[in-house]
Each structure stands twice: as structure tokens, then as C-alpha cells.
Amino acid sequence: MTAYDELMAFTRDSCALGEVAGRLGWDQETMMPRGAAEQRAEEMSAMSAMLHARRTDPRVGTWLSQAEAHGAVEAAQLRLIQRSYDRAVKIPETLARDIAGETSRGQGIWAEARANDDVAAFLPALKRIIALQREKAACLAESEGPDALYDALLLDYEPGTTSAQITAMFDALRPGLVSLRERIMAAPRPEGLSGHFDETQQMAMSEQIAQAFGYDMTRGRVDKSVHPFSSGSGTDVRITTRTDPSDPFNCLYSTIHEVGHAAYEQGIDAAYALTPLGAGVSMGVHESQSRIYENQLGRSVPFTGWLFGQLRDRFGDIGIETPEAFGRAVNTLRKGYIRTEADEVQYNLHVMLRYDLERALIGGTLEVEDLEDAWNTRFEADFGYKVDKPSNGVLQDVHWSFGLFGYFPTYTLGNVYAGCLNVAMRKAVPDLDADLAQGDPSKALAWLRENIQQHGGLYEPVDLITRATGAAPDVAPLLSYLEDKFTALYDL
Ligand code: ZN
């Protein structure tokens, strides 16, 4: 065997074990008995220590120094393995183990604190998690300066992008979003849905829509969880959704969103399975797929016209009489506290708030004790009303309890990428609206599969978007898409 073959055989086993660890995470959110949390934390930290030991195995370093790549695919595999190795060897095994145990435990502590609206109960765990993340970042940091630690963490989610680039992008996005929100909020409020929406029917409908959006149920499954998510890669890619008897949109659009993530994983070239190329290339690109499925396709006026008929067939009277009014109901802007329930216009403002706060936490300019005040002050400044309770404020998101610092900005990055991809996709599929009016997004999905999904980790994120769209990522397409859509919907 050549050094390349030996390295790939070893890496393949590491990838397989990584999938096993991921499935434990899926189980924790869907099936695990509540009393198992402490034991699961130990299991997760043992898995994590084992994976860390494999990633830093000295043989990997030796193989990397000897391996030769034949062709672009092998070169990309080596590039990704080298990157992972270079990062992993900088983190001591005890630190990797502490992070895994603390974040697995932190999640349970956060869930209980959120249920009781008790910030103080979460702060000690959050303090430990942040200290560990800062320690990890210090091991990895490649530069000096106020954002060096944060940039080091960001690389795990969005290789090739710095916080300076993200800050510039957010600054360019914010004024347009704020002005559009003000104009929509001043327009007459649309009607809302009414009625009771049977939850079994909702799940049946969400499976139907998941399949219409290209989700292969022979290689996936749909379960329920508090926070919908997708996990896995290759031939086992699972999603979760949630139901609310008074609001079928919650289930439908959570499903379409997670199908976007899952279809990306399912769409990757099968030859890359269980290798570093066999997973979505970054969180930002991942989110671009989920958001374009959910918003540019699923919340488009032609598609909601079709959906209106489907909902009436299934549930009878839904309190809305016309497809036009239904389109506005799907695309309503409301006052609200919760990021995951926010509309396309306000969503990114929620992300910007978290981005600035977590950068300050990791940079050391904001103390954990002052986080709640900082959140509430910033929220009121951005949204114009006060946070009423911690579960609607600083305790609403799971991310920080998992130690995910540097993750939030990838949501907005994904929206920006989706805006860019939408322009190119519509150019390639000129009759898309006619298909969407029949509930058929298949030509758009084929374009996304061809230009984004199949490549897995072959190209770096920005290169991938640039190849697909013919231009470097920019906020302008997202802003003009939102402006055009909401101006027409609300007659602004
Ligand atoms: Zn997502």
C-alpha cells in the first residue's frame, strides 16, 4: 500500500467512528431517557477522546509527509486531512476530553435553566464552557489582535472566512434590512391562519413535502425534537421536526429547512462517502442549502399558492380564503423574541446580536455575569421592545451550551450565499415559477445538486459559491431579493 492508501484507510475508519458519535448526538435529542444524561456525557467524552487520539495519531503526520496526490480529488482529501491534523495536534487530549464532557453536561443544565427561566443556574456551566473555548482558541490562534481567538474558533465552521470579513458583510446588510422592516411593519397586518391542525396529519404532510423536496427516505428518517436539526452523512442522514396544533407552518418550514441540509448530504458524490470530502464543506454553505429550500423556494409566492390548496385539502377551512392572503400569512413579519421563529427580514438581525455578544465573550471584553444585561440592552436597541423573560432572551438558543462559538454568523452567511445562488439558479431554470406553482421544485434541486451539493468538500466555500454563481459572494442579491419580494407582497 502507498502512504496515501494507508492514510485513507485509517481516515475512513475515523470518519465512520465520527458518524457513530454523531448518531449518539441524534439519540440524545430524540430518544434518550432523561436520566441518562450524566452517563451519556461520559460516553461522549470517551468517544471524543478516542477520535481526538486518532486525529493526532503520529502515523497520520508521517503518512501526510509521504503521500502523493494524483488528481484534484486526492489533493483535496490531503488538504482537508492536513488541516484537521494541524489543528488537532495543537489541542491537548485532556482539553478535548474536558470540552466534550462539559458541553454534553452543559446542554442538560441549559435545558433546565431555560425551562425555569433561571439564568443564574446556567451561568457557572457557561463560564466553564467559555473558559475551555478560550483555552482551545489560544492553542489554535494564528494571529494577534482583538479577534484572534474568535477567528480561531470560526475556522471550524467556516474555513477561509474571518470575523473582519463577516463584520463588513453584516455592516453592509443591516441598513437595508432595518429600512425594509420599518416599511413592512407600517403596512396593514396580514390575516393569520385559524383552526386546529391535527399533528399526525402535519407529520404525514411534512413527509410528503420532504420527498417533494428530494429527501430520500430510504436513506433517512423524520422524528420529532424540541429543536429541529439534521445529522449524519452518506446513506444515513436523519432530520427532526416539530409540530404545533395551532400553527402548521412551524412543522412544514422546519421540515423543508432540515431537508435542505439533509439533501445536501445525500447529494454528495457517493464516491466520497466516509472520507473528509463526504460532508458539507462549511456551515455557511450548509445553511445556504437549507435557506434556499425553505425561503427562495418554499416561501415563494408560486409555491405558497400550491401549498394553500394542499392545506385546504387536508385540514378544511384554515381561516384564509385566497392564495394571495395565504402568501402574506406565510411571509408575515411579527414582533417576537425568538430567532428560529423569525421571518426572512428580521432573522439576520437576531444573528448579528449573537455574533457581537459571542465575539465579546471570547475576546474577553464581556464577562458572563454581564451577558444577560448586554443581551437585553442590545435587543431593545435593535428591536424596539424589552425582553420579557430569559427563555425569550439570553437562554433561548442551545448553541453556547454546546460550546458552539463562531457558529451563529454562518446562519447569515448562508442567507447571503442563498441570495447569490438564487440569482444563478433562476437564470438556469427560467420556468421555475410555473413548476413551483405545481408544487414541483425538482429542476431547481437538480441545479443545486449539480453546482453545489455533489462536490462535498472538494472546493473551499467561497470558491464553491464563486464557481456556481460566476461572482464572489456579496450581500446585494439577498437585499434585492427581499426588497422585490416584500414590496410586491405588501404593496409597499
Ligand atoms: Zn439550518
Side-chain angles (χ1 to χ4, degrees), residues 257-258 261 286-287 290-291 407 411:
H257 180 97
E258 298 310 331
H261 285 299
H286 239 295
E287 196 66 8
S290 59
R291 295 301 266 185
Y407 192 113
Y411 288 124

Side-chain angles (χ1 to χ4, degrees), residues 214 263 266-267 444-455:
Q266 289 186 331
L445 306 181
W447 187 86
L448 289 168
R449 186 149 289 195
E450 165 91 23
N451 288 280
I452 298 290
Q453 296 170 359
Q454 64 158 334
H455 299 303

Side-chain angles (χ1 to χ4, degrees), residues 59 63 69-70 79 104 128 144 173 181 188 192 210 212 218 227-228 231 275 385 401 413 429 434 437 463 467 477 484:
R59 287 174 295 170
W63 288 322
H70 300 282
R79 178 167 51 79
S104 175
R128 288 194 297 275
E144 308 259 318
L173 202 51
R181 174 179 67 180
T218 67
H227 288 279
S231 70
T275 76
Y385 41 95
S401 77
L413 204 52
V429 189
D463 295 343
R467 287 175 64 98
D484 293 350

Side-chain angles (χ1 to χ4, degrees), residues 43-57:
E43 293 170 8
M44 294 291 263
S45 92
M47 281 300 282
S48 171
M50 188 257 298
L51 284 167
H52 183 72
R54 292 186 67 89
R55 280 189 209 109
T56 55
D57 192 308

